Amino acid sequence: MNRMIQTWRWFGPNDPVSLQHIKQTGATGIVTALHQIPHGDVWTVDEINKRKAEVEAYGLTWDVVESITVHESIKTRSGNFQEYIDKYKQSIRNVAACGIKIITYNFMPVNDWTRTQLDYVMPDGSEALYFNWVDLAIFDIYILKRENAENSFPENIVTKAKERFATITEQRLQEIADTVMFGIPGEKKITVEWMRNALKAYDNIDRDALRSNLSYFLNEICPVADECGVQLAIHPDDPPFDILGLPRIVNSMEDYDFILSNAPYKSNGICFCTGSLGAKETNDLPEMVKKLDDKIYFIHLRNVRSDEEGNFFEADHLDGNTDMYAVMKELLLIHKKHNVSIPFRPDHGHQMLDDLGKVNNPGYSAIGRLRGLAELRGLEEGIIRSL
């Protein structure tokens, strides 16, 4: 029976976790991107091959592109959006020409993954990423100062945000702002002013309009991906809720049904992220895996634990909201049924042991992810032997 392909996220030559260290984890594949290239610009064959050679010099393979970022003009279908779509098509062709066949991307408007704290202390002393609605309300209402931001939160969250803001330090305010706007390591940092301007472009874009824009984009690029033999794997919203007054349209089975049915191409598929999807209590992840079946092209495995208000921290990989055994079993049944080997990576990990105090990309320290990979590898082996 085929096993999953063990991969590791690497942010390029400036990543504190080197390729030499990754080699020692037992992972065989690398998940990376050309983060130095501005959003919307074409990835050239020369630049792709340069990065590929760096990876292969350590006996590793570049298995998944994560991500070719979708330009904001494409998401809003405004300005030079068609030009950016044409550039995206060329990047797909160039990636395929270099032998890489899986491209992950997301369609989150303005902000990518969002947390409010990067060093939430766990009972064992390790540190986790954390999302708290009150802190997000403080950012939205008092730092971003978005018009009518209070209307985006329940009354109890607005009240708690007002109370917390009354005693909060300037240092903590800056930490919240920096964390919410952290973005992808290696890419240009955004500012409050940039975010305010970017949000204005969505004044007249609701859920249906954003869905329509995604459908248009997919129907433009999927024929090119089909032609090149590339699998396109859309990553779910992280977190899987509307935030900052923006619609989020990739976080449920209903969303996936829309995405797959409105662009019925072979290339159109899913990056199944158990952490992002698991933060939404109505999502039944094992059942979603069953339904998505061979449309899952790439897998992120991590876990979160939520409280009654929907705040969540990133838990150990085998602990949290998601029954990782049940998810892994369904994924391996897909491997068996279709005779495939889907790449996965241990997504995020606690800052722990010798990594505590070191400068690392949030969630991407070495030891926490190595623990996750080891646990997931053992879980996979046990399930395979029982099938």
Side-chain angles (χ1 to χ4, degrees), residues 318-330:
L318 303 188
D319 184 38
N321 297 354
T322 297
D323 182 345
M324 197 62 75
Y325 168 84
V327 170
M328 178 79 81
K329 184 175 180 179
E330 293 302 330

Side-chain angles (χ1 to χ4, degrees), residues 116 132-146 149-150 153 157-169 172-177 180 244:
T116 58
N132 181 275
W133 280 108
V134 174
D135 284 340
L136 184 70
I138 288 173
F139 173 81
D140 202 359
I141 299 168
Y142 299 105
I143 300 175
L144 187 62
K145 298 179 180 178
R146 183 171 61 87
E150 297 91 342
F153 301 91
I157 296 296
V158 173
T159 299
K160 289 180 180 180
K162 183 178 181 180
E163 293 171 350
R164 188 175 297 177
F165 180 72
T167 60
I168 202 166
T169 65
R172 178 58 188 147
L173 277 177
Q174 190 62 53
E175 287 174 354
I176 292 172
V180 172
L244 306 177

Side-chain angles (χ1 to χ4, degrees), residues 159-215:
T159 299
K160 289 180 180 180
K162 183 178 181 180
E163 293 171 350
R164 188 175 297 177
F165 180 72
T167 60
I168 202 166
T169 65
E170 285 296 324
Q171 180 181 348
R172 178 58 188 147
L173 277 177
Q174 190 62 53
E175 287 174 354
I176 292 172
D178 290 345
T179 302
V180 172
M181 299 186 297
F182 192 90
I184 300 298
E187 296 186 0
K188 183 179 179 180
K189 295 299 180 185
I190 64 176
T191 64
V192 170
E193 183 179 3
W194 180 92
M195 183 173 282
R196 286 190 188 122
N197 290 330
L199 289 172
K200 290 177 183 176
Y202 289 85
D203 283 348
N204 298 311
I205 297 177
D206 59 11
R207 177 178 174 82
D208 289 340
L210 191 60
R211 270 186 161 189
S212 176
N213 294 349
L214 172 57
S215 180

Side-chain angles (χ1 to χ4, degrees), residues 268-284:
N268 186 22
I270 305 300
C271 170
F272 196 83
C273 177
T274 57
S276 300
L277 296 169
K280 189 170 187 174
E281 64 177 13
T282 54
N283 283 337
D284 182 338

Side-chain angles (χ1 to χ4, degrees), residues 36 114 229 279 292 310:
Q36 74 275 17
T114 303
L292 291 168

Side-chain angles (χ1 to χ4, degrees), residues 240-382:
F241 317 110
D242 294 354
I243 60 171
L244 306 177
L246 297 167
R248 296 287 189 111
I249 60 169
V250 190
N251 54 62
S252 68
M253 195 61 227
E254 178 195 358
D255 292 336
Y256 286 139
D257 286 338
F258 175 88
I259 290 165
L260 296 174
S261 63
N262 280 269
Y265 296 90
K266 183 178 180 181
S267 57
N268 186 22
I270 305 300
C271 170
F272 196 83
C273 177
T274 57
S276 300
L277 296 169
K280 189 170 187 174
E281 64 177 13
T282 54
N283 283 337
D284 182 338
L285 269 61
E287 191 62 29
M288 291 174 76
V289 172
K290 282 184 186 179
K291 290 179 179 178
L292 291 168
D293 197 47
D294 62 349
K295 279 297 184 177
I296 297 175
Y297 294 156
F298 183 37
I299 305 160
H300 290 181
L301 295 178
R302 63 180 171 88
N303 225 323
V304 299
R305 186 169 291 281
S306 306
D307 65 18
E308 63 278 358
E309 286 187 342
N311 308 312
F312 63 86
F313 62 85
E314 299 198 356
D316 292 327
H317 286 74
L318 303 188
D319 184 38
N321 297 354
T322 297
D323 182 345
M324 197 62 75
Y325 168 84
V327 170
M328 178 79 81
K329 184 175 180 179
E330 293 302 330
L331 289 168
L332 290 170
L333 287 172
I334 291 171
H335 280 67
K336 186 175 182 179
K337 176 181 176 182
H338 298 287
N339 192 28
V340 294
S341 291
I342 306 172
F344 87 96
R345 66 175 177 87
D347 196 13
H348 299 180
H350 292 167
Q351 191 97 341
M352 59 191 302
L353 302 177
D354 287 352
D355 279 339
L356 284 167
K358 289 182 181 177
V359 175
N360 279 294
N361 293 323
Y364 289 98
S365 57
I367 300 173
R369 282 187 291 165
L370 177 58
R371 173 180 172 175
L373 177 59
E375 291 177 344
L376 294 166
R377 183 186 289 142
L379 180 61
E380 179 190 37
E381 181 68 19

